[in-house]
């Protein structure tokens, strides 16, 4: 008789999270398999029912407590962000504070936005009481990037939770520690059920989440991955929100505050090492203020330095493969007639890229057309703001944009084909919790933040309740010619005016 052999213990695949400044291993995380992801989604389904049953007030109270934990341990959170992304602590704090603002807003406003609302039933149906309410979808899968590992995923997670959904969250493989920190903090205040779960791994783990039968996928990351996710989600008709890349422009009008515009451009282009989805990548400047603007941008940019010491303005390029893209964009711009008035290909090191300002770059160069995601910016001279708008809009992307103009700010903002525009300040829309955030074209679709963000994670439920039997029955076979004649008369009175 042969003895039953014990099954070999499954060797779990793992991956390391690294400090991008030193390559030091910070921690090791499991690569979650398809089975792991499906188990998490099954648990989330049960948790979602419980979370929904708490109602708006119960959820708001728990979100408030989560926000409190994040706020009180802000320094700890910022350190985890700095370790994994390399960004300065002050920048980590800024994104975390904005994330906390979103938790506060979503918790406070969910009932008002998603609760029962009466709707007018109209004259023909005046015997009905019409209401709409927004019910949770169930389980939402959130897939996040690494560049703003607190602010960006919280933009989806917070709104999905406030709307009554359970969430399974896969952070970027570059920032699993930040993801774990956020989820652990939530589970401290909501220990009853796994309402917010973490899964870790690479693209395959993300793909498993897309195919795991969730009720919606909220994806933030590159356009290329967004397309793959949408194609995979189509198999099961799983709805998606896609928050993808950008090539955000700044427009500087002849009457602009040139000093403020230069300051905003420098911050928008170089902070976080240019790794900002709504970062400034292109600038179109009225010819009357162009030279002054370029001089100011160069002078301000000269003061900046990439590094990992406490005085550095911004940190390393988090994802090593991006270094090649940045170098290629600068080299291509210069080969095609552009000029580096600061930096250039020599500014691109192994980990750090020093500020690079490019002028006279042809509009069809990679540096103008593709997302660079590095500390570089192109500045182009335009004859008027119509040319600026046309050039700004001549892109497949459409995420954010900024306008500097004293008189024409609103007009120019409306004409820009982007989801958000800031006037006379850099990226201000991202800090206003009540404003929807999302793009058009290759930048994706769907909205996070604000009322639109809450509704993105809910389904409308329309209910018509008959209050009394109508004097004329429209939806009944015994309906007679007299009724039809009356309806014809009524519609003529209501809608027949020339
Ligand atoms: P990425 O597309 O490489 O990865 C994003 C996430 O998708 C990661 O968690 C990754 O593991 C996962 N993933 C990869 N392949 C997958 C697949 N086939 N199925 C499911 N998941 C998969 O992007 P990134 O490099 O982490 O982030 C940078 C990009 O994100 C930039 O393009 C930036 O503009 C964009 N971004 C956009 C916003 C926005 O709000 N629009 C915000 C931040 C960043």
């Amino acid at each position: 008789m042969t003895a039953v052999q014990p099954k070999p213990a499954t060797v779990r695949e793992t991956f390391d999270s690294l400090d991008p400044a030193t390559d030091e291993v910070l921690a090791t995380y499991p690569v979650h398999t398809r089975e792991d992801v499906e188990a998490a989604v099954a648990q989330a389904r049960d948790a979602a029912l419980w979370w929904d049953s708490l109602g708006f007030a119960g959820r708001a109270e728990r979100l408030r407590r989560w926000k409190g934990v994040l706020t009180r341990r802000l320094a700890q959170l910022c350190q985890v962000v700095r370790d994994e992304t390399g960004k300065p602590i002050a920048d980590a704090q800024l994104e975390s504070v904005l994330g906390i603002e979103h938790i506060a807003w979503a918790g406070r406003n969910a009932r008002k936005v998603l609760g029962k609302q009466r709707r007018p039933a109209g004259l023909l149906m005046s015997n009905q009481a019409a209401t709409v309410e927004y019910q949770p979808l169930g389980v939402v899968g959130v897939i996040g990037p690494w560049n703003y590992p607190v602010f960006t995923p919280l933009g989806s997670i917070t709104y999905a939770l406030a709307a009554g959904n359970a969430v399974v969250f896969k952070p970027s493989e570059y920032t699993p520690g930040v993801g774990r920190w956020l989820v652990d903090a939530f589970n401290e205040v909501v220990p009853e059920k796994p309402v917010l779960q973490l899964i870790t791994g690479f693209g395959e783990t993300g793909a498993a989440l897309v195919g795991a039968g969730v009720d919606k996928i909220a994806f933030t990351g590159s356009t290329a991955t967004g397309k793959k996710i949408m194609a995979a989600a189509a198999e099961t008709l799983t709805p998606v929100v896609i928050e993808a890349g950008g090539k955000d422009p700044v427009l500087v009008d002849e009457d602009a505050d040139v000093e403020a515009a230069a300051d905003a451009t420098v911050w928008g282009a170089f902070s976080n090492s240019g790794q900002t989805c709504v970062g400034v990548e292109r600038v179109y400047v009225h010819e009357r203020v162009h030279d002054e603007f370029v001089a100011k941008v160069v002078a301000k940019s000269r003061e900046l330095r990439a590094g990992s010491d406490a005085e550095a303005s911004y940190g390393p390029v988090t994802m090593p493969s991006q270094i090649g893209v940045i170098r290629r964009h600068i080299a291509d711009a210069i080969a095609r007639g552009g000029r580096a008035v600061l930096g250039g290909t020599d500014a691109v090191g192994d980990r750090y890229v020093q500020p690079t300002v490019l002028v006279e770059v042809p509009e069809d160069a990679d540096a103008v057309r593709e997302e660079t995601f590095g500390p570089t910016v192109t500045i182009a001279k335009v004859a008027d703001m119509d040319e600026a708008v046309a050039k700004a809009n001549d892109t497949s992307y459409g995420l954010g944009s900024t306008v500097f103009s004293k008189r024409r700010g609103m007009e120019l903002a409306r004409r820009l084909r982007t989801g958000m525009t800031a006037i006379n300040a850099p990226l201000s829309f991202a800090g206003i919790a009540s404003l929807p955030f999302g793009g058009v074209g290759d930048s994706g679709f769907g909205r996070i933040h604000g009322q639109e963000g809450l509704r993105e994670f809910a389904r409308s439920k329309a209910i018509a309740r008959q209050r009394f039997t109508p004097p004329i029955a429209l939806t009944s076979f015994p309906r007679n010619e007299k009724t039809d004649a009356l309806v014809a008369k009524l519609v003529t009175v209501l809608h027949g005016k020339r």
Side-chain angles (χ1 to χ4, degrees):
M1 232 174 95
T2 47
V4 178
Q5 293 296 316
K7 273 192 182 167
T10 331
V11 181
R12 183 174 272 297
E13 203 190 321
T14 59
F15 69 103
D16 295 332
S17 156
L18 305 177
D19 179 333
T22 59
D23 283 346
E24 179 202 338
V25 175
L26 298 166
T28 301
Y29 295 85
V31 174
H32 283 122
T33 61
R34 185 167 291 281
E35 291 73 38
D36 297 331
V37 173
E38 283 170 1
V41 171
Q43 280 194 301
R45 201 146 294 290
D46 171 60
L49 294 174
W50 174 79
W51 183 242
D52 182 26
S53 76
L54 294 182
F56 290 114
R59 291 192 295 271
E61 170 55 19
R62 283 162 172 86
L63 289 169
R64 195 189 60 71
R65 294 206 319 248
W66 185 33
K67 174 193 80 167
V69 173
L70 263 59
T71 309
R72 289 189 298 276
R73 295 188 203 149
L74 190 58
Q76 200 188 82
L77 172 60
C78 294
Q79 192 59 49
V80 182
V81 173
R82 176 178 169 80
D83 289 347
E84 285 196 327
T85 64
K87 70 174 69 176
I89 289 282
D91 287 357
Q93 176 165 301
L94 188 57
E95 70 157 303
S96 302
V97 167
L98 293 180
I100 289 167
E101 278 279 315
H102 280 291
I103 302 178
W105 195 92
R108 222 175 32 235
N109 289 283
R111 181 198 292 279
K112 195 167 78 199
V113 177
L114 304 174
K116 191 169 118 185
Q117 295 165 20
R118 292 185 69 109
R119 295 282 168 90
L123 201 62
L124 282 177
M125 303 295 277
S126 54
N127 65 319
Q128 303 284 331
T131 57
V132 64
E133 56 194 62
Y134 294 85
Q135 300 177 339
L137 302 173
V139 180
V140 173
V142 173
I143 300 176
W146 47 266
N147 60 337
Y148 287 88
V150 177
F151 176 70
T152 294
L154 283 186
S156 297
I157 293 172
T158 301
Y159 289 81
L161 289 173
N165 304 280
V167 171
V168 178
F169 170 38
K170 194 204 93 63
S172 164
E173 50 273 38
Y174 290 94
T175 52
V178 179
R180 173 175 283 175
W181 195 97
L182 292 170
V183 171
D184 285 352
F186 182 84
N187 288 328
E188 236 178 87
V189 299
V190 185
E192 296 94 334
K193 296 265 184 186
V195 173
L196 173 60
Q197 294 177 75
L198 181 81
I199 53 166
T200 52
F202 300 92
E204 247 175 72
T205 304
L209 184 57
V210 177
V214 294
D215 299 291
K216 188 156 200 166
I217 285 287
F219 167 76
T220 310
S222 64
T223 303
T225 307
K227 288 178 185 175
K228 282 189 208 159
I229 286 180
M230 196 172 163
E235 291 295 321
T236 47
L237 224 57
T238 303
V240 290
V241 186
I242 304 283
E243 298 286 349
K247 192 73 191 167
D248 287 7
V250 170
L251 272 56
V252 185
D253 202 354
E254 59 182 316
D255 67 349
D257 177 341
V258 177
E259 175 69 23
D263 189 67
T265 297
V266 170
W267 189 77
F270 303 131
S271 63
N272 203 29
S273 201
Q275 305 167 118
T276 304
C277 54
V278 286
V280 174
E281 299 231 349
R282 307 175 284 154
V283 191
Y284 297 101
V285 192
H286 196 288
E287 60 187 9
R288 292 213 178 96
V289 291
H290 173 269
D291 294 355
E292 180 193 354
F293 176 81
V294 172
K296 282 187 189 292
V297 167
V298 170
K300 288 176 192 297
S301 307
R302 261 191 222 292
E303 305 289 311
L304 306 182
R305 180 177 53 80
S308 57
D309 53 288
E311 276 76 49
S313 321
Y314 58 84
V317 167
T318 309
M319 199 169 60
S321 59
Q322 201 62 24
I323 288 276
V325 175
I326 299 167
R327 188 180 286 118
R328 173 169 63 77
H329 283 192
I330 298 173
D332 174 65
I334 293 169
R336 303 180 59 179
R339 274 192 309 125
V341 285
L342 185 72
T345 44
D346 291 348
V348 186
D350 289 342
R351 290 175 200 272
Y352 299 95
V353 179
Q354 302 303 332
T356 291
V357 181
L358 300 163
V359 296
E360 294 156 28
V361 180
E363 285 295 298
D364 59 354
D366 293 345
V368 179
R369 303 216 72 80
E370 291 177 19
E371 185 180 48
T372 307
F373 228 53
T376 70
V377 66
T378 64
I379 303 176
K381 190 191 286 186
V382 291
D384 55 34
M385 296 322 279
D386 288 343
E387 184 185 346
V389 169
K391 287 188 164 156
N393 284 343
D394 183 18
T395 171
S396 60
Y397 291 108
L399 195 53
S401 51
T402 305
V403 172
F404 276 85
S405 174
K406 288 207 177 81
R407 283 171 298 126
R408 298 175 63 190
M410 282 304 279
E411 176 217 325
L412 296 170
R414 287 198 185 102
R415 288 168 62 191
L416 288 169
R417 185 185 161 272
T418 58
M420 298 81 63
T421 302
I423 302 175
N424 295 336
L427 316 186
S428 43
F429 48 77
I432 301 173
S434 62
L435 280 179
F437 186 100
V440 301
D442 278 353
S443 296
F445 58 86
R447 294 292 180 263
I448 55 172
H449 304 172
Q451 295 189 21
E452 291 78 1
L454 283 168
R455 295 219 173 113
E456 193 71 57
F457 298 107
R459 63 170 71 90
S460 62
K461 174 75 184 182
I463 302 178
R465 181 179 59 81
Q466 177 151 300
R467 295 185 296 133
F468 55 86
T469 313
I472 46 170
L474 295 177
T475 51
S476 166
F477 279 114
R479 193 181 64 196
N480 56 28
E481 279 171 20
K482 222 169 107 192
T483 319
D484 289 342
L486 195 65
V487 171
K489 205 176 269 173
L490 202 59
V491 78
T492 309
V493 171
L494 285 175
H495 305 294
K497 263 200 196 122
R498 280 184 200 282

